[in-house]
Amino acid sequence: MSEYRVPLNDVETSLEIKKSRFIARLCHAKDRAQAMQLLEVAKRDYPDARHHCWAYLLGPPQQPLSVAMSDDGEPGGTAGKPILNVIQHKGVGDVMLIVIRYFGGIKLGAGGLVRAYSQAAQMAYDQLITCLHVDLDECSIECEFADEQSIRHWIALNKAEVRTVVYQHNVRLTVALDAQKHQDLMDFLAAFKKVNVFATGQE
């Protein structure tokens, strides 16, 4: 089972350092496409900003499926990397964090930029609310009409979900459940004479 914290709310904070304004926007993103869509929204919302720097971490924070970052024109390693570094120390997955900079005319230097982007990212996390995300495996169960209620009862007791139901000559349930419960489900279904189980996408 993959279980980890994810953002529940979108956060936007603002910080001014030596006349430069840093706006941090932290959002939930389930994949790269959604993260890039959030970046485009930020660019539309702040079209006249000098930089739209960002980093994301997708999947479980301890073993992410994907991480990426961009300095967006800032000196290499002074924006995307410090943003990502903050993300990697928070124990929250599926995160897209964009820091938008309006240049105020005073150069901050490499060290100053690293501190500014880190501080802006940290401020966003200070206002973040998270919730628990659990990855569920899907399978399809074919059963007799008479057995449906018993199977649904087991599903409810084990905090699984019935996602779709198709009634034809029998009942076909698409079920999402914790991967660790899969063997328990198979053991339970073994008591029924006419039950077939398929991985999602298999027939």
Side-chain angles (χ1 to χ4, degrees):
M1 178 183 64
S2 182
E3 184 177 289
Y4 55 94
R5 309 299 298 183
V6 298
L8 180 61
N9 61 322
D10 292 344
V11 173
E12 185 166 302
T13 59
S14 183
L15 169 70
E16 190 170 307
I17 299 174
K18 293 184 178 178
K19 297 188 178 178
S20 276
R21 186 174 169 219
F22 296 85
I23 301 161
R25 182 177 282 188
L26 193 162
C27 304
H28 179 249
K30 65 182 186 297
D31 54 34
R32 180 179 171 83
Q34 188 175 8
M36 293 300 97
Q37 186 178 17
L38 290 164
L39 178 61
E40 289 307 310
V41 170
K43 287 180 176 179
R44 286 201 303 270
D45 290 347
Y46 297 100
D48 53 340
R50 177 76 67 91
H51 305 283
H52 299 82
C53 306
W54 57 269
Y56 67 62
L57 183 152
L58 306 177
Q62 308 309 326
Q63 294 181 305
L65 303 174
S66 176
V67 295
M69 59 190 174
S70 170
D71 295 312
D72 191 35
E74 294 281 31
T78 64
K81 191 172 181 180
I83 296 169
L84 182 60
N85 188 52
V86 172
I87 292 174
Q88 289 174 322
H89 285 84
K90 295 301 180 181
V92 180
D94 296 344
V95 172
M96 174 62 163
L97 181 47
I98 305 156
V99 180
I100 300 129
R101 182 190 181 193
Y102 283 89
F103 182 54
I106 301 172
K107 291 189 176 181
L108 303 181
L113 284 171
V114 170
R115 286 190 295 274
Y117 280 102
S118 298
Q119 189 178 346
Q122 178 63 52
M123 280 181 66
Y125 273 97
D126 290 344
Q127 295 189 21
L128 181 67
I129 300 168
T130 64
C131 61
L132 192 64
H133 167 86
V134 180
D135 273 339
L136 300 176
D137 285 352
E138 273 196 1
C139 64
S140 292
I141 302 169
E142 277 189 359
C143 65
E144 300 288 296
F145 289 97
D147 297 330
E148 181 187 0
Q149 259 338 100
S150 297
I151 293 170
R152 279 182 176 269
H153 183 64
W154 186 95
I155 290 166
L157 285 177
N158 287 272
K159 296 181 180 178
E161 301 172 10
V162 176
R163 295 206 163 151
T164 62
V165 185
V166 177
Y167 296 102
Q168 292 178 334
H169 60 282
N170 58 12
V171 183
R172 189 175 183 120
L173 306 163
T174 302
V175 178
L177 76 163
D178 180 341
Q180 292 181 337
K181 293 276 189 181
H182 190 75
Q183 189 56 52
D184 293 343
L185 174 62
M186 299 304 290
D187 293 344
F188 171 75
L189 294 176
F192 298 92
K193 290 181 180 178
K194 292 186 177 180
V195 171
N196 293 312
V197 181
F198 306 93
T200 301
Q202 291 184 345
E203 296 299 332

